[in-house]
Amino acid sequence: MSSLHSQQEQKALMPEFSRSHEEVNALLGYLQEISDLAALGALADWDQNTALPEEAGDVRGAQLATLRGVLHERWTAPELGRLIARLEKVVEHEPFTDADRALVREARREHEKATRLPRSLVEEMARVEAASFEAWRRAREQNDFASFAPWLSRTVALQREVADRYGYRETRYDALLDLFEPDLTVRKLDALFAPVREVSLSLLKRIQESGRNIDASCLYGHFPVAQQDALCKRLLEALGYNFKRGGLAHSPHPFTTSFGSPVDVRLTIHPQENFIASAVMATIHEGGHALYEQGCAFTLLRTPLAGGASMGVHESQSRLWENYIGSSEPFWQGHFHLLRAAFPEHFATIDAATFSRALNKVEPSLIRIEADEVTYNLHIIIRYELERELINGELAVESLPRLWNARYREYLGIEPDSDTNGVLQDVHWTSGFGYFPSYTLGNLYAAQIYYTLRQTFADFDERLAGGDTSFILDWLRQHMYIYGMIYLPEDLIQRVTGEMPDARYFARYLNEKFGRLYELTN
């Protein structure tokens, strides 16, 4: 695996565009306008999730439809296609840079996809997405899947049309996977998911048969939201998140978004007054996304290359910070004073070891974002299987609650007590399909990056226990974050770790960590 580059090497690796080249400059100017418009769309989405008045959903849908229609015109413009074609003839040669080549590659990818969709479809998708979000929010609050089902059916129909227009080799779902992870297919994904399913189910069975239990009662109590907010802000600051270039808010489902990475990257949480882990771990998870975006090179600002290499790579950073780092005992040895300062009475007789063990309690549960690491990917596999079947026309929307509950019985041995805690818990299906597999890909990538970090820093745990995470962030910025979307996922993982993506690291991590916690024998 790779080791730290020298400072001179790092300076040489800073991504730069060939701004002296007339046509590179022309493409940059064109794509900067598109990026600005997309940022305004992201701002409108942020507002809808965090502050939109109850009766403003329809007008927001119309506004987003107009904006996405304008974006569609920009992406499909014939002059853009001609500019891309001219650059493709020369960009692979000197003196063009990796950033130049990536800019042309991503411009081609987006231009070709956009030209396959009519503007009317793009605008309709925006209207349906905004209305679907409002319907989902109400349905979730009222435990009423039936009221959401017509909107979900409309989204499914639109996504099928999108997939058919994009084209695919084997299954319609392949076209949607490619939107989030270039060149990913059901065939590839099934091969990756099979060992993940195996290790998750096997380890869960071993833990349950061991009869050992972890007491997680310290995670429950009375935690006023205002104090949780203050704690979460201090945690983010400790991780290295820059509030001068971001912000923290509440939403029904935690998320991170950017209106211009690295200078405006914001995140949300959804605190529960009786359960501290929900907000704390969502903060570290979303903070991982945000650190990635804030670490992007300023030279990529206002271009399509500013941000993560893919959704799977992005999830590698949220999962790396949340689980591999943020749920570990050394991390809480270094940061437990923040919890005690926020809730002194509750944590007066609790120590970092007890708290971190509680965070890692393995127990099948209904809520994905609160699931332990052993069972988490089973939540993802359930969603992947259901949405793949939906898109490929193998099941009807109306049957989702029944099938959702049946898969939870099969994989996790439990059944949701309501649709709110079951099929309605995630916001993702209001906007489309193909994203959920990114979470498990992220876990696989994160394990490989984690072992690279541990090999690079022999005193990894000692530095964490001393409250230092800056060495991790600095290394990730230098080796990964600054490059944004310049390198494709497999290429980036190889640059960061010295190896192609390998699922064995994830199995090793799970077995080592939870074998130790639960004192399992081989």
Side-chain angles (χ1 to χ4, degrees):
M1 290 191 175
S2 64
S3 60
L4 273 171
H5 295 305
S6 70
Q7 292 299 314
Q8 286 185 337
E9 287 175 319
Q10 280 304 314
K11 187 175 181 181
L13 291 170
M14 182 63 69
E16 294 285 354
F17 296 110
S18 300
R19 294 182 180 273
S20 61
H21 191 281
E22 182 179 349
E23 291 193 325
V24 169
N25 256 340
L27 183 59
L28 275 170
Y30 201 100
L31 296 183
Q32 284 169 344
E33 182 186 69
I34 288 176
S35 296
D36 291 343
L37 291 169
L40 292 176
L43 183 60
D45 287 333
W46 163 275
D47 179 71
Q48 183 172 25
N49 275 271
T50 59
L52 191 73
E54 185 176 349
E55 297 183 5
D58 288 344
V59 72
R60 180 52 48 83
Q63 292 161 349
L64 286 169
T66 298
L67 180 57
R68 292 184 189 174
V70 172
L71 277 166
H72 184 260
E73 282 189 353
R74 298 293 193 276
W75 275 120
T76 57
E79 60 266 33
L80 175 61
R82 290 191 290 269
L83 179 58
I84 294 168
R86 289 196 300 272
L87 279 166
E88 283 175 329
K89 293 177 181 178
V90 298
V91 78
E92 292 303 321
H93 308 292
E94 295 291 346
F96 293 96
T97 68
D98 284 355
D100 296 331
R101 287 183 275 274
L103 191 72
V104 174
R105 182 196 72 220
E106 290 304 311
R108 168 61 70 191
R109 174 178 165 86
E110 293 302 321
H111 176 69
E112 287 193 347
K113 286 187 176 297
T115 54
R116 295 179 186 180
L117 305 182
R119 176 169 177 166
S120 59
L121 175 58
V122 172
E123 291 177 339
E124 176 66 4
M125 288 166 63
R127 284 190 290 267
V128 170
E129 181 179 341
S132 183
F133 174 81
E134 297 301 325
W136 166 79
R137 180 158 57 184
R138 291 190 296 269
R140 187 170 182 265
E141 290 172 353
Q142 298 165 13
N143 187 34
D144 180 17
F145 178 79
S147 67
F148 177 59
W151 288 105
L152 183 55
S153 294
R154 184 64 183 138
T155 301
V156 170
L158 289 169
Q159 291 283 287
R160 286 175 178 168
E161 182 177 354
V162 166
D164 289 341
R165 288 179 179 274
Y166 283 157
Y168 48 87
R169 290 184 180 178
E170 295 186 14
T171 77
R172 182 184 278 134
Y173 190 70
D174 289 343
L176 303 183
L177 286 174
D178 183 73
L179 293 173
F180 302 102
E181 200 74 14
D183 299 326
L184 186 65
T185 65
V186 166
R187 184 183 296 273
K188 290 180 181 179
L189 202 55
D190 286 345
L192 283 171
F193 277 12
V196 172
R197 182 190 295 109
E198 180 181 349
V199 70
S200 299
L201 290 171
S202 172
L203 186 54
L204 176 61
K205 182 180 179 182
R206 291 171 61 204
I207 289 170
Q208 291 174 328
E209 289 177 347
S210 75
R212 295 184 178 88
N213 188 40
I214 289 177
D215 180 8
S217 59
C218 66
L219 305 180
Y220 297 86
H222 177 61
F223 307 100
V225 169
Q227 290 167 244
Q228 289 195 57
D229 285 343
L231 167 63
C232 291
K233 183 176 181 181
R234 286 193 288 271
L235 269 173
L236 285 169
E237 290 171 336
L239 292 175
Y241 177 77
N242 185 348
F243 274 95
K244 292 182 179 179
R245 293 192 269 132
L248 178 65
H250 292 174
S251 67
H253 192 104
F255 71 101
T256 301
T257 192
S258 164
F259 319 122
S261 298
V263 298
D264 192 351
V265 184
R266 308 182 198 178
L267 62 145
T268 72
I269 56 174
H270 185 67
Q272 298 181 32
E273 285 205 9
N274 67 334
F275 184 58
I276 190 61
S278 181
V280 165
M281 300 315 291
T283 294
I284 303 176
H285 177 100
E286 300 302 336
H289 283 302
L291 292 173
Y292 190 5
E293 294 280 335
Q294 286 192 340
C296 175
F298 276 78
T299 51
L300 304 181
L301 178 65
R302 297 178 61 230
T303 77
L305 302 183
S310 70
M311 289 301 100
V313 175
H314 230 304
E315 291 300 338
S316 80
Q317 295 313 289
S318 60
R319 301 297 288 175
L320 174 70
W321 284 98
E322 176 191 7
N323 294 320
Y324 296 76
I325 298 167
S327 70
S328 71
E329 183 176 335
F331 176 84
W332 286 107
Q333 287 173 347
H335 294 86
F336 197 68
H337 65 281
L338 298 176
L339 277 172
R340 279 199 174 136
F343 302 103
E345 292 184 8
H346 184 88
F347 290 108
T349 59
I350 297 166
D351 59 18
T354 301
F355 182 75
S356 64
R357 282 180 63 81
L359 291 175
N360 288 290
K361 179 183 176 70
V362 174
E363 184 175 36
S365 61
L366 298 173
I367 307 302
R368 173 186 64 85
I369 62 173
E370 296 169 5
D372 59 80
E373 292 180 82
V374 174
T375 61
Y376 180 87
N377 292 293
L378 299 175
H379 290 258
I380 300 305
I381 290 170
I382 289 169
R383 286 153 176 77
Y384 158 63
E385 291 176 348
L386 291 174
E387 67 179 32
R388 181 193 63 201
E389 292 163 20
L390 270 175
I391 292 300
N392 291 340
E394 298 163 10
L395 65 85
V397 164
E398 291 73 21
S399 64
L400 267 177
R402 175 179 57 81
L403 292 173
W404 180 287
N405 293 354
R407 301 285 168 95
Y408 266 75
R409 285 195 304 272
E410 177 185 354
Y411 284 105
L412 293 164
I414 56 176
E415 185 171 341
D417 54 358
S418 66
D419 288 340
T420 295
N421 289 330
V423 71
L424 287 172
Q425 68 178 270
D426 294 301
V427 69
H428 302 63
W429 285 347
T430 66
S431 57
F433 301 86
Y435 185 95
F436 276 116
S438 302
Y439 289 109
T440 291
L441 285 177
N443 280 329
L444 303 185
Y445 297 155
Q448 196 161 327
I449 294 168
Y450 173 71
Y451 280 108
T452 302
L453 284 165
R454 293 196 68 93
Q455 188 178 68
T456 301
F457 300 102
D459 56 350
F460 187 88
D461 287 340
E462 290 79 4
R463 294 174 78 164
L464 270 187
D468 181 18
T469 59
S470 63
F471 72 103
I472 300 171
L473 181 57
D474 289 344
W475 191 91
L476 290 168
R477 281 174 174 163
Q478 292 168 7
H479 290 78
M480 180 178 180
Y481 294 179
I482 62 167
Y483 300 117
M485 201 183 289
I486 289 177
Y487 302 107
L488 291 171
E490 286 190 350
D491 294 336
L492 181 63
I493 297 302
Q494 186 169 28
R495 289 176 68 92
V496 173
T497 69
E499 300 179 32
M500 292 294 285
D502 188 338
R504 290 178 298 174
Y505 285 102
F506 177 70
R508 171 184 166 187
Y509 166 77
L510 276 191
N511 282 318
E512 285 180 349
K513 177 174 180 177
F514 291 94
R516 183 173 62 253
L517 278 169
Y518 280 88
E519 301 175 4
L520 303 177
T521 56
N522 292 330

